[in-house]
Amino acid sequence: MLIPDKWLLLIGTMAYVAALILTLLRLSNKRPPLHAVNLVLILVGWVVQSAGLWMLGMNAGSCPIRNPFEVLQFISWSIVILYIFTGQVFRLSLFGTGSAALAAIISFSAYLIPGGNKVSPHSFLGGDPRIEAHASLALVSYGIFGLLAVLSVLYLLQNNSLKTKRNSGVFKFLPSLVDMDTVLMRLLIMACVVYTVSVAIGATYWIEHTNDVALPKLTLTLALWVGYWLVLILRAMNKLFGTRLAWSCILLMIAALAILWPVEASREHNSLADSTVESQPFQNVV
Amino acid sequence: MSSDSPRLITIGCNHHKTPLEVRERLALSSESALLLQNKLKEHPEILEAAILNTCNRMEIHAVANGDSVMDHVSRMLGSIEDFPVQEFLEHAYVHENMQAINHAFRVAAGLDSQLVGETQILGQMKSSYATATKQKMVGPVLHKFFQKSFQAAKWARTETKIGTGQVSLGNVAVELATRIFGKLTVSRTLVIGSGEVGREVAKAFRSRGVACMSIASRTHERAQKLSREIDGLVIPFNSWQDTLPYVDIGIFATSAPMSILDKATLQNVLRKRSRKPLFLIDLALPRDIDASASELSNLYLYNLDDLADIANENLKNRQKEVDTCLIELDRKAHYTWKSMKLES
């Protein structure tokens, strides 16, 4: 049986699903999406999800990112809060629906990970605040990566529909290519800045505890950081744009999600090692 | 008309059975149309004749003696330089007497048009009638044929709702541009050619407040006329290619006999535009832009058929009205044919 915080997280996710279903129903009836109703549903979902995460955090005595379940919930939450703030500025049609869909997928997949809910008794969190700041900022940047991926999918859909000359259904409600390109650039800048701050905070800790960081984790984290900066630089130089930029953002998001697993495994391994050596390892969440 | 009297006949091909790439080869230039008209006039078995030559159809309406009108017409078309007679014959239809009247009524009412319910075709039919009259190629049969067609079109327009909810090509093009650029108030537009369809589309863009409109046409006077209508800037025709990298939307509607913009040129244009997309609307027939250019990324190329297909998407809602209209036009054609027979 699910405990209250899990129920709250599930109810929050269901609100995102409701926003998605409502939009799909409207589109299938060839009617435009109801932005205000969608936003309300997403806001309600986010508030309920926040309550669930707050309860988890209170139990943990730290940011609720102690296991894969919590990490995925935190990413899902980050996607939505970032959408709530940036989406209203960018005002892109279907961006909210896409964000809600991705948040719901990530949140649901958190329930499907076998043993993903286990909390190690030797959690690194709650100690040095730099670790928590580094980890939570890294997960917020994952939220931005998620929004980038959502927008990239919308971009590819719009591009494909224009190329194949399809005008009906969902396609005519998609944002324009130029608007999406502009927002992609802004989100890329945001993602690189937040992720860099996260890596920088982690680095200050790592300098003092070089032996505590597993090499694969460090390599993957830096590779992802380089990957996003490379994409941003190429986009700024007009060398990478349009569909290739969209595909790059999607592939980077997939890579970011894929490296969560080795990082988590490494964390588990280090936590167990902690119990014997009784040192507090630097834990780079992503 | 009695059974041994001259026959009313329509020979032609249109967008229904003839693909765009064939239609563009069948399109007659104004000089070729005039040449054909003269040949029809000179032929002893053809008593009356008019040519309807638009971007989507080429039809010859004639009153002729004998059974070999099609052969005569084929020979005449064969004498026109570069005209693909064989392809024409493969795609051609022939309507006689009442069927010809029935067909003309549908055409005049816009029910046979690519954009169902449009009114432009009526103007083109009137122009065809006027040209034939000027050439003294219209006798009592074709006169009645055209007049009754115009009346039928007027009836369809005023008494039915076939035009209700119809989306114009201009609006479709603007909608597509909005999907690419968002707000059009910062988009620059270039209009090449000054044909009627191009003008309609250009006006639609102007009404949506595009930032700047440039016009280039071989006929300077027509370019100036269009520039006054849409508050645009006339540029010399030989410099339009230099302007292309700096515009977002290109409307092509020239009467050039072959494409004026190829894939390689467009590749260079896109390179100069860095990451900005380019939207090209090719309304010309024969097409002004090499169709293979649509493969280029960041370039969105739409031709007349593409726009018409989108515009007709709401046709299902009007289908019942169209069906009712068709039945009534058939009835009218039947009465017209009966009265023509009685008169003869």
Side-chain angles (χ1 to χ4, degrees):
Chain A
M1 190 175 158
L2 291 173
I3 49 175
D5 45 27
K6 303 290 189 307
W7 273 112
L8 286 172
L9 293 170
L10 195 61
I11 292 166
T13 308
M14 293 313 289
Y16 303 151
V17 174
L20 173 66
I21 291 172
L22 178 72
T23 303
L24 291 178
L25 283 174
R26 296 273 305 175
L27 293 177
S28 64
N29 290 322
K30 294 179 179 169
R31 291 157 76 186
L34 291 168
H35 297 296
V37 180
N38 262 2
L39 185 62
V40 168
L41 281 170
I42 292 170
L43 271 172
V44 167
W46 179 78
V47 168
V48 178
Q49 199 183 23
S50 301
L53 282 174
W54 180 77
M55 284 177 76
L56 277 175
M58 290 302 281
N59 287 338
S62 67
C63 187
I65 47 175
R66 297 167 297 167
N67 54 42
F69 176 85
E70 291 178 0
V71 164
L72 289 177
Q73 286 295 341
F74 197 86
I75 293 173
S76 164
W77 178 86
S78 302
I79 289 170
V80 177
I81 189 174
L82 285 162
Y83 162 70
I84 289 168
F85 285 109
T86 61
Q88 299 319 301
V89 178
F90 300 143
R91 299 184 73 81
L92 296 178
S93 169
L94 295 178
F95 190 31
T97 307
S99 306
L102 182 64
I105 290 168
I106 291 176
S107 179
F108 276 133
S109 55
Y111 288 88
L112 302 175
I113 299 169
N117 204 11
K118 270 191 218 157
V119 179
S120 166
H122 308 282
S123 173
F124 61 91
L125 295 167
D128 193 315
R130 282 179 294 179
I131 299 173
E132 230 167 311
H134 155 75
S136 52
L137 272 176
L139 292 180
V140 169
S141 60
Y142 263 61
I144 310 172
F145 300 161
L147 288 185
L148 273 168
V150 166
L151 202 53
S152 298
V153 169
L154 295 182
Y155 187 98
L156 290 173
L157 278 175
Q158 181 70 287
N159 177 71
N160 187 263
S161 69
L162 282 164
K163 280 283 188 189
T164 55
K165 287 142 195 191
R166 278 178 295 174
N167 190 52
S168 55
V170 66
F171 305 119
K172 62 176 158 190
F173 298 112
L174 289 167
S176 78
L177 291 176
V178 168
D179 289 346
M180 283 194 277
D181 183 65
T182 308
V183 176
L184 274 173
M185 178 63 173
R186 290 178 188 170
L187 285 174
L188 261 176
I189 295 170
M190 205 192 295
C192 286
V193 169
V194 176
Y195 199 42
T196 302
V197 172
S198 162
V199 170
I201 293 171
T204 61
Y205 190 92
W206 175 71
I207 289 165
E208 294 164 23
H209 307 81
T210 42
N211 294 332
D212 294 342
V213 183
L215 189 63
K217 191 169 64 183
L218 184 68
T219 314
L220 289 172
T221 305
L222 288 176
L224 191 67
W225 180 77
V226 169
Y228 272 102
W229 271 104
L230 195 64
V231 167
L232 175 63
I233 291 164
L234 288 173
R235 165 61 179 76
M237 292 168 69
N238 289 333
K239 301 277 182 204
L240 186 69
F241 53 85
T243 52
R244 284 193 297 164
L245 174 67
W247 276 115
S248 302
C249 291
I250 292 169
L251 292 174
L252 278 173
M253 176 63 186
I254 292 169
L257 286 175
I259 69 166
L260 265 180
W261 269 252
V263 166
E264 280 297 316
S266 167
R267 183 167 75 177
E268 193 65 26
H269 173 78
N270 281 3
S271 295
L272 288 171
D274 272 359
S275 60
T276 53
V277 297
E278 289 190 16
S279 70
Q280 193 179 49
F282 164 66
Q283 285 305 328
N284 190 336
V285 173
V286 288
Chain B
M1 283 183 194
S2 60
S3 56
D4 55 347
S5 63
R7 292 178 303 151
L8 173 63
I9 192 161
T10 295
I11 300 165
C13 61
N14 62 19
H15 59 282
H16 287 304
K17 288 183 181 170
T18 318
L20 187 66
E21 54 271 23
V22 178
R23 255 170 27 234
E24 63 190 355
R25 287 196 291 275
L26 296 177
L28 290 175
S29 64
S30 49
E31 295 81 27
S32 302
L34 194 64
L35 182 72
L36 180 63
Q37 184 86 53
N38 287 335
K39 284 185 184 294
L40 287 164
K41 191 178 177 180
E42 286 161 12
H43 202 281
E45 284 187 22
I46 295 171
L47 311 175
E48 301 175 38
I51 301 166
L52 177 61
N53 182 34
T54 75
C55 50
N56 280 327
R57 70 179 68 238
M58 200 282 276
E59 284 180 354
I60 298 162
H61 305 291
V63 180
N65 286 316
D67 297 326
S68 14
V69 187
M70 188 66 172
D71 296 336
H72 302 323
V73 168
S74 305
R75 271 197 292 277
M76 288 177 207
L77 287 169
S79 67
I80 294 171
E81 199 183 343
D82 294 333
F83 189 88
V85 182
Q86 203 50 46
E87 277 185 298
F88 174 78
L89 293 174
E90 279 169 26
H91 295 93
Y93 47 80
V94 181
H95 299 300
E96 281 190 33
N97 300 331
M98 197 182 82
Q99 275 73 37
I101 296 170
N102 198 350
H103 174 76
F105 281 15
R106 290 174 180 215
V107 171
L111 294 178
D112 199 53
S113 293
Q114 196 173 32
L115 203 64
V116 177
E118 56 100 6
T119 52
Q120 204 179 15
I121 187 69
L122 183 61
Q124 288 163 329
M125 269 185 96
K126 283 180 178 172
S127 161
S128 154
Y129 171 65
T131 309
T133 307
K134 205 172 159 187
Q135 295 267 322
K136 297 190 176 19
M137 283 299 286
V138 173
V141 179
L142 275 193
H143 175 74
K144 188 155 191 174
F145 169 84
F146 275 108
Q147 290 305 325
K148 288 290 174 186
S149 299
F150 302 154
Q151 284 171 19
K154 190 180 175 190
W155 171 84
R157 179 67 37 197
T158 52
E159 301 297 321
T160 74
K161 292 175 184 166
I162 53 164
T164 309
Q166 192 204 338
V167 184
S168 72
L169 289 183
N171 282 341
V172 171
V174 166
E175 206 58 47
L176 288 166
T178 311
R179 285 174 59 195
I180 298 169
F181 301 104
K183 281 182 187 165
L184 298 181
T185 45
V186 288
S187 301
R188 290 158 182 259
T189 306
L190 173 66
V191 186
I192 310 288
S194 48
E196 205 169 327
V197 189
R199 195 159 66 232
E200 184 204 326
V201 175
K203 277 181 180 173
F205 275 102
R206 172 48 83 205
S207 71
R208 291 288 281 265
V210 289
C212 167
M213 289 193 101
S214 309
I215 302 135
S217 175
R218 280 197 178 90
T219 325
H220 189 68
E221 293 73 34
R222 288 178 70 175
Q224 285 207 312
K225 192 181 166 210
L226 179 59
S227 80
R228 280 193 294 274
E229 283 177 46
I230 60 169
D231 190 22
L233 179 76
V234 179
I235 59 165
F237 188 76
N238 55 11
S239 71
W240 69 264
Q241 279 209 3
D242 305 329
T243 318
L244 204 52
Y246 309 104
V247 300
D248 303 306
I249 301 157
I251 303 166
F252 287 76
T254 77
S255 51
M258 58 188 74
S259 81
I260 56 171
L261 195 53
D262 59 19
K263 193 177 171 181
T265 310
L266 277 168
Q267 223 156 2
N268 283 331
V269 167
L270 287 169
R271 219 168 282 145
K272 287 180 191 166
R273 291 175 59 77
S274 64
R275 59 185 170 78
K276 281 174 81 182
L278 180 61
F279 180 35
L280 298 179
I281 307 157
D282 188 353
L283 302 166
L285 210 90
R287 282 173 287 182
D288 281 341
I289 305 167
D290 181 3
S292 66
S294 65
E295 294 160 9
L296 296 170
S297 69
N298 237 15
L299 183 134
Y300 304 91
L301 173 61
Y302 280 70
N303 61 37
L304 205 55
D305 279 11
D306 301 326
L307 296 183
D309 285 347
I310 296 171
N312 277 334
E313 270 175 9
N314 72 342
L315 186 61
K316 276 182 194 160
N317 307 332
R318 292 186 284 144
Q319 197 57 55
K320 202 176 168 192
E321 199 64 32
V322 170
D323 292 343
T324 314
C325 188
L326 284 173
I327 293 167
E328 186 57 26
L329 286 179
D330 286 357
R331 202 179 60 80
K332 282 179 185 291
H334 178 75
Y335 286 126
T336 304
W337 173 242
K338 259 174 80 173
S339 73
M340 283 169 98
K341 277 210 312 191
L342 283 173
E343 281 170 21
S344 68

